């Protein structure tokens, strides 16, 4: 009998340890960078390979911006939604096979709605095929020195071989901001109106955290909830990366907390710049599926909530501001034949709530990309100290 009791106690202990292990809060990658000086103000697991989910679309946008700067395409280039594009898993734009958008409208839907069908359609238009576009993505990643990054698709739907890191996502975002500032307002847009549909962003900071200028969110089960956020306050520009959030609340509140620490001075330069942060190439990316979508999810989310309750019911929140949303009107061009030019002139689409003259026409005067196809991309440069 004593043997049986002892055995039962051992089994109970094993079960208890397993439950505690499942319920343990996890410290996921986070990074805070001063975008003017490139100083790192906070870093946690910033070089750990991670599945980027829809943060992938930051690179999809960059490759497209670069091709526009080269003159191979324009913002008026028609983007046709092929059967392959429309077959992608949600989120989607809702457009039918054969529908067309201008590249400008497609980019807005890509960035704001994070539509996977439009990401694929852009890739097929810009790269000639998905494979051709992915090759361009990996070429840019190599030129930028994103040593923990590899792409297999243009949208971020899960592939075990698609990964990045908080450091690389921050650096890519800095490249977009420095090389193509004329497109930054896209990343600060909260909604796209497409016919009767309104396609909304998942970035709550845009309307609840004053000064937010962009950039992108992402989610697949293997990644958890990811975010890159850029904010300007009192002349300072900070960038936060949070990967692997247990929920949108968790991700958003953690990003806001990082940013507030930076603006208040609680987070000071660590002595490193984002360029000198070490990646961990060769280390396998973390797979969050069991904790986010699997049998461990309930215990894991409860542990994360206990460790970081900000924003839960009855708890304080960092997201208390009321910011007027910026919206953009896109046009479904219907079904058009390949090679047929769009009618000219097209009316300008002025975002709602935008001050006159504050719309980015995004035409004509395009800065050349800092990254040419024949040489490594120069690193983003810190701005000179203010006088």
């Amino acid at each position: 009998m004593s043997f049986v009791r002892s055995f039962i106690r051992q089994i109970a202990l094993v079960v208890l340890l397993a439950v505690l292990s499942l319920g343990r809060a996890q410290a996921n990658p986070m990074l805070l960078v001063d975008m003017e000086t490139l100083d790192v103000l906070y870093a946690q697991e910033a070089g750990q390979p991670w599945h980027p989910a829809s943060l992938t679309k930051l690179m999809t946008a960059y490759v497209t911006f670069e091709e526009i700067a080269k003159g191979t395409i324009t913002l008026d280039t028609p983007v046709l939604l092929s059967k392959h594009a429309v077959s992608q898993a949600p989120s989607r734009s809702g457009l039918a096979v054969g529908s067309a958008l201008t590249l400008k409208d497609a980019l807005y839907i890509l960035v704001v709605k994070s539509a996977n069908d439009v990401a694929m359609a852009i890739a097929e238009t810009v790269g000639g095929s998905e494979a051709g576009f992915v090759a361009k993505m990996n070429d840019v990643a190599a030129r930028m020195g994103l040593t923990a990054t590899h792409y297999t698709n243009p949208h971020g739907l899960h592939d075990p071989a698609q990964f990045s890191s908080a450091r690389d996502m921050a650096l890519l975002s800095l490249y977009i901001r420095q090389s193509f500032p004329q497109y930054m307002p896209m990343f600060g847009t909260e909604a796209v109106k497409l016919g009767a549909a309104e396609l909304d962003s998942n970035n709550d900071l845009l309307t609840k955290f004053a000064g937010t200028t962009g950039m992108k969110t992402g989610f697949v089960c293997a990644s958890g909830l990811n975010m890159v956020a850029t904010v300007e306050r009192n002349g300072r520009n900070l960038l936060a990366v949070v990967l692997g959030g247990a929920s949108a609340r968790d991700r958003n509140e953690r990003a806001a907390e990082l940013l507030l620490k930076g603006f208040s001075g609680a987070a000071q330069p660590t002595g490193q710049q984002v360029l000198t942060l070490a990646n961990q190439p060769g280390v396998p990316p973390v797979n969050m599926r069991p904790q986010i979508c699997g049998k461990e999810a309930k215990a894991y989310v409860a542990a994360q909530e206990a460790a970081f309750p900000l924003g839960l019911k009855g708890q304080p929140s960092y997201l208390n501001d009321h910011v007027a949303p910026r919206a953009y009107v896109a046009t479904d061009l219907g079904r058009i034949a390949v090679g047929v030019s769009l009618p000219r002139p097209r009316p300008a689409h002025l975002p709602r709530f935008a001050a006159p003259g504050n719309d980015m026409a995004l035409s004509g005067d395009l800065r050349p990309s800092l990254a040419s196809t024949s040489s490594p991309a120069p690193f983003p440069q810190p701005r000179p100290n203010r006088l």
Side-chain angles (χ1 to χ4, degrees):
M1 181 67 75
S2 61
F3 171 80
V4 173
R5 287 175 180 154
S6 176
F7 180 74
I8 291 173
R9 287 194 197 98
Q10 290 178 27
I11 293 296
L13 179 60
V14 169
V15 171
L16 176 61
L17 290 174
V19 171
L20 290 174
S21 176
L22 291 178
R24 185 180 300 127
Q26 180 170 315
N28 293 334
M30 294 195 293
L31 181 60
L32 181 65
V33 177
D34 186 317
M35 292 193 288
E36 306 298 342
T37 64
L38 307 187
D39 287 332
V40 173
L41 306 182
Y42 180 85
Q44 173 178 286
E45 300 293 331
Q48 168 65 50
W50 208 267
H51 296 298
S54 280
L55 297 189
T56 295
K57 295 180 176 83
L58 292 171
M59 180 59 83
T60 301
Y62 185 94
V63 169
T64 304
F65 299 157
E66 190 172 77
E67 292 300 318
I68 293 171
K70 292 176 186 175
T72 60
I73 52 174
T74 74
L75 288 165
D76 287 323
T77 296
V79 174
L80 274 66
L81 276 82
S82 67
K83 183 177 180 180
H84 178 55
V86 173
S87 73
Q88 302 305 303
S91 64
R92 291 190 291 254
S93 67
L95 294 171
V97 174
S99 298
L101 301 158
T102 64
L103 182 57
K104 178 181 175 181
D105 286 3
L107 282 166
Y108 266 98
I109 295 171
L110 171 84
V111 169
V112 176
K113 176 58 178 174
S114 201
N116 296 322
D117 55 347
V118 173
M120 185 62 71
I122 290 173
E124 292 174 336
T125 300
V126 175
S129 66
E130 179 183 5
F133 190 84
V134 170
K136 292 179 183 291
M137 296 171 74
N138 285 315
D139 173 66
V140 170
R143 286 187 275 125
M144 287 182 176
L146 308 186
T147 55
T149 295
H150 182 259
Y151 296 105
T152 61
N153 65 56
H155 40 58
L157 288 170
H158 182 56
D159 185 318
Q162 182 142 303
F163 46 83
S164 189
S165 70
R167 179 262 188 192
D168 285 3
M169 286 291 99
L171 194 53
L172 171 58
S173 301
L174 288 166
Y175 267 110
I176 292 173
R177 182 173 181 265
Q178 181 163 306
S179 299
F180 302 109
Q182 67 270 38
Y183 298 110
M184 285 302 295
M186 286 183 174
F187 299 93
T189 300
E190 197 275 334
V192 173
K193 182 78 172 176
L194 181 64
E198 185 165 294
L199 310 177
D200 295 321
S201 169
N202 288 313
N203 185 353
D204 284 348
L205 272 66
L206 290 172
T207 54
K208 297 179 180 179
F209 195 76
T212 301
T213 54
M215 293 191 52
K216 192 75 186 71
T217 63
F219 165 75
V220 292
C221 290
S223 72
L225 288 97
N226 300 337
M227 168 177 275
V228 175
T230 57
V231 178
E232 178 181 2
R233 289 189 180 183
N234 300 319
R236 294 189 70 197
N237 287 275
L238 302 184
L239 177 150
V241 183
V242 175
L243 304 181
S247 64
R249 173 210 63 84
D250 181 50
R251 172 194 66 192
N252 297 342
E253 295 282 354
R254 287 185 187 275
E257 181 180 61
L258 274 180
L259 291 158
L260 287 171
K261 286 181 177 179
F263 286 121
S264 71
Q268 289 290 320
T270 63
Q272 284 187 302
Q273 291 197 323
V274 64
L275 299 168
T276 62
L277 280 178
N279 272 323
Q280 301 177 45
V283 174
V286 172
N287 187 341
M288 296 287 291
R289 177 176 286 274
Q291 293 92 345
I292 300 298
C293 300
K295 61 183 180 180
E296 301 176 18
K298 185 175 181 179
Y300 177 74
V301 171
Q304 295 296 99
E305 289 180 348
F308 189 78
L310 275 294
L312 292 171
K313 185 176 181 180
Q315 297 289 333
S317 171
Y318 295 122
L319 306 180
N320 297 313
D321 299 322
H322 299 281
V323 182
R326 182 184 179 94
Y328 176 83
V329 179
T331 301
D332 177 1
L333 300 174
R335 300 188 178 191
I336 66 174
V338 177
V340 174
S341 298
L342 297 177
R344 301 292 191 274
R346 284 176 49 77
H349 297 303
L350 198 66
R352 294 192 315 236
F353 311 112
N358 196 34
D359 181 39
M360 48 296 164
L362 304 181
S363 60
D365 185 20
L366 297 176
R367 273 184 61 184
S369 167
L370 295 183
S372 70
T373 56
S374 59
S375 61
F379 289 132
Q381 298 297 314
R383 292 189 180 181
N385 293 330
R386 296 182 178 87
L387 297 178

